[in-house]
Amino acid sequence: MEQNYTLAIDTIWVLLGTALVFFMQAGFAMVETGFTRAKNAGNIIMKNLMDFVVGSLIFYILGFSLMFGDSIGGFIGLPALLSQGEFSALKEWMALDLNTFIIWQTVFCATAATIVSGAMAERTKFSAYLVYSFCISAVIYPVVGHWIWGGGWLAGLGFHDFAGSTVVHSVGGWSALIGAMILGPRIGKYSKSGKVNAIPGHSLTLGALGVFILWLGWFGFNPGSSLSGMNTGTNSLIFMTTNLAAAAATLTTMIITWVRYKKPDVSMTLNGSLAGLVAITAGCDAVSIEGALIIGIIAGFAVTFGIEFVDKKLKIDDPVGAIGVHGICGSLGTILVGLFAVDGGLFYGGGFKYLGVQILGVAAVAVWTMITISIVFFVIKKTIGLRVSAEEEVDGLDLHEHGLSSSYADFEVKSHLKDVI
C-alpha cells in the first residue's frame, strides 16, 4: 500500500513537471517571435509548433529506444520501434510507468530541437527546418542522452548533468552555432566593411513574456528531474538553486550593460535570466545555494560577452542569442559542477577528477553534435536547400512560406479597402 502511494505521488510529480516543460515551448516561441521582425512571426510560431509535433512522433518511434535501450558499447541504446523494447537496464532503477517516463523525456527532446530555431530565424526554409528537427530528435539528441542519462560511457565515468545543461541545452546551442554559421547572416546584418548593424525585434513585450514563461517552466524542468515527489528536501533545494541562479544572472547582466552602455539593456537582461537558468540546470541538485548564486553571476558575464563575441568577432548572426545562452552557458554550467558540487567538487576538496570528467563530457558532446549536425545541414543544403531566396527574406517568410500577408492583420493597410474608401 505504501509503495503504491509513493508511486502515485512520483507519477503526479513527473506529469506536472511534464506539463510545465511542455509550456516552455510557448516561452521559446514568444522569445523568438519578440526578438525578430513581425514579417516572420507566423513562420516562427509554425516552427515552434512543428518541432514539438515532429519531435514527439519520431522520439516515440525511434529516439527513446536509442536513448534508453540496453546499451550497445556505452554509445547507443538498442533500437526498438515504437518504444517497445525490453528496457531492462532502465527498469532496474526507474519505478515509474514507462509511458510516464516517455512523455517526460519527450518534452526534453523537443526543447533541444526548438533552441536551434532562434539562431537560424528569418532566413531558413521551413521544409529544411522540419528535416533537421527530425534528425536532432531521432538520433543526435538521443545518442547524447544515452551517454549521460541512459547508462552510456559518460554515465560510467561519473559525469553529472542533472537536468540537461549539456544533454538538452548545449546540444541545441552547438547545433544552432553550426546552423547559423552555414546559413550565413541575414541581409543587412553586416556591412561590406564588417560593421555590425543591429536588427531590432518587433516586440520586447512578447520577448519578456516568453522569458517569464520559461522561468516558470524551469520549475518543472529542474525539480521534475528528481522523478520523485517524495524527495522533498532535494526538490526544495532545486527550486531555490534554480531561482537564485537565474536572479543572480539577471542582476549581473543588467549591471554589466548599465556600466558598459550607460543604460540597462532590456533584451540582454532578459537573456541573462535564461543564461542563469541554463547554467544551473546541470548542478541544481548538487551545489549549495551560495554556489548557485556564484554560478548565476558567472553566467551573467558569460552570456553578455559570449553573445557579443559571436556577433561581433565571429560574425555569426544569431537573432535571439541562442548560442550564448544555451551553447556557452550550458557547457560552462556543466563544467562548474566540477568546482561547486558539495560532494566531490574541487572547491570542496574533491580534487580534479570530477572537474576533468565534466570537461571531457562537455567536449565530447560538443564534438558529436557539431559533426553530426554539420552532415545534416550539408545534405539539406545540397538537396532541398537550407536558405530562402533574397526576395523571400526581404518580403518576409510569412508571405512566401505560409501565404500570410501579415501575422498582425489589423495593423496593415488592406489593398481591397481602396474600393470602398
Side-chain angles (χ1 to χ4, degrees):
M1 182 68 179
E2 182 178 349
Q3 185 177 4
N4 291 338
Y5 173 80
T6 300
L7 181 59
I9 294 295
D10 291 348
T11 299
I12 292 170
W13 177 259
V14 172
L15 291 178
L16 286 174
T18 299
L20 285 171
V21 178
F22 168 73
F23 192 46
M24 291 173 72
Q25 289 290 127
F28 282 115
M30 292 301 97
V31 168
E32 188 181 339
T33 303
F35 283 7
T36 53
R37 290 168 289 186
K39 64 183 180 180
N40 300 304
N43 173 258
I44 286 166
I45 294 301
M46 276 291 283
K47 289 194 299 182
N48 281 271
L49 170 66
M50 294 311 298
D51 62 37
F52 182 80
V53 171
V54 170
S56 292
L57 293 170
I58 191 56
F59 189 71
Y60 170 69
I61 293 169
L62 178 62
F64 182 81
S65 67
L66 298 183
M67 190 164 174
F68 290 102
D70 293 347
S71 189
I72 302 175
F75 179 76
I76 195 170
L78 184 67
L81 294 179
L82 303 177
S83 300
Q84 297 299 309
E86 292 295 327
F87 303 110
S88 55
L90 175 64
K91 292 175 181 177
E92 287 179 4
W93 61 267
M94 199 273 298
L96 294 169
D97 175 79
L98 189 60
N99 286 330
T100 300
F101 194 64
I102 291 174
I103 190 62
W104 168 250
Q105 291 298 331
T106 297
V107 293
F108 274 65
C109 177
T111 299
T114 204
I115 289 167
V116 188
S117 172
M120 299 176 66
E122 302 199 289
R123 70 266 200 213
T124 305
K125 284 186 175 182
F126 183 64
S127 57
Y129 182 76
L130 295 177
V131 173
Y132 72 71
S133 291
F134 176 93
C135 295
I136 291 171
S137 302
V139 178
I140 297 174
Y141 170 82
V143 167
V144 173
H146 183 77
W147 292 357
I148 298 168
W149 292 341
W153 68 278
L154 280 175
L157 292 176
F159 183 83
H160 187 87
D161 183 10
F162 184 73
S165 289
T166 289
V167 177
V168 178
H169 295 282
S170 81
V171 168
W174 298 136
S175 298
L177 171 67
I178 298 299
M181 186 166 59
I182 293 175
L183 194 61
R186 291 168 291 175
I187 295 171
K189 175 63 179 179
Y190 300 105
S191 68
K192 292 182 179 179
S193 64
K195 178 185 176 183
V196 180
N197 299 312
I199 303 178
H202 82 281
S203 177
L204 278 174
T205 306
L206 285 179
L209 175 61
V211 170
F212 279 115
I213 291 172
L214 288 168
W215 198 322
L216 171 66
W218 241 281
F219 292 136
F221 203 96
N222 286 359
S225 293
S226 72
L227 303 180
S228 175
M230 303 296 288
N231 199 349
T232 55
T234 298
N235 292 336
S236 298
L237 172 67
I238 294 170
F239 264 92
M240 287 292 289
T241 55
T242 299
N243 188 63
L244 290 176
T250 306
L251 181 61
T252 300
T253 305
M254 185 194 73
I255 292 172
I256 293 171
T257 61
W258 206 332
V259 170
R260 298 188 75 210
Y261 312 137
K262 311 306 178 187
K263 299 287 184 182
D265 185 272
V266 180
S267 61
M268 188 67 81
T269 302
L270 290 170
N271 265 331
S273 301
L274 300 181
L277 291 164
V278 169
I280 195 59
T281 294
C284 57
D285 68 318
V287 303
S288 66
I289 290 175
E290 293 76 18
L293 288 168
I294 297 172
I295 289 172
I297 292 169
I298 294 171
F301 279 92
V303 74
T304 305
F305 293 102
I307 287 176
E308 286 191 7
F309 179 76
V310 169
D311 190 43
K312 296 180 179 180
K313 298 298 182 182
L314 298 182
K315 296 293 191 293
I316 295 174
D317 183 15
D318 177 2
V320 304
I323 299 166
V325 169
H326 300 279
I328 294 173
C329 289
S331 298
L332 181 60
T334 307
I335 292 170
L336 290 174
V337 177
L339 298 177
F340 291 100
V342 175
D343 183 12
L346 180 62
F347 292 161
Y348 289 83
F352 286 94
K353 181 179 179 181
Y354 197 168
L355 177 61
V357 169
Q358 295 298 104
I359 294 172
L360 173 64
V362 165
V365 170
V367 170
W368 161 261
T369 303
M370 287 191 281
I371 290 175
T372 52
I373 199 65
S374 294
I375 295 170
V376 170
F377 286 137
F378 177 79
V379 172
I380 292 173
K381 188 175 182 179
K382 294 298 182 181
T383 52
I384 63 174
L386 189 59
R387 183 165 183 152
V388 298
S389 68
E391 179 187 2
E392 290 169 333
E393 183 179 341
V394 171
D395 291 343
L397 303 190
D398 284 5
L399 177 63
H400 290 280
E401 293 274 32
H402 308 287
L404 287 172
S405 57
S406 173
S407 294
Y408 301 95
D410 287 347
F411 293 89
E412 65 171 344
V413 177
K414 298 287 189 179
S415 60
H416 68 264
L417 294 179
K418 295 177 183 177
D419 297 331
V420 295
I421 295 177

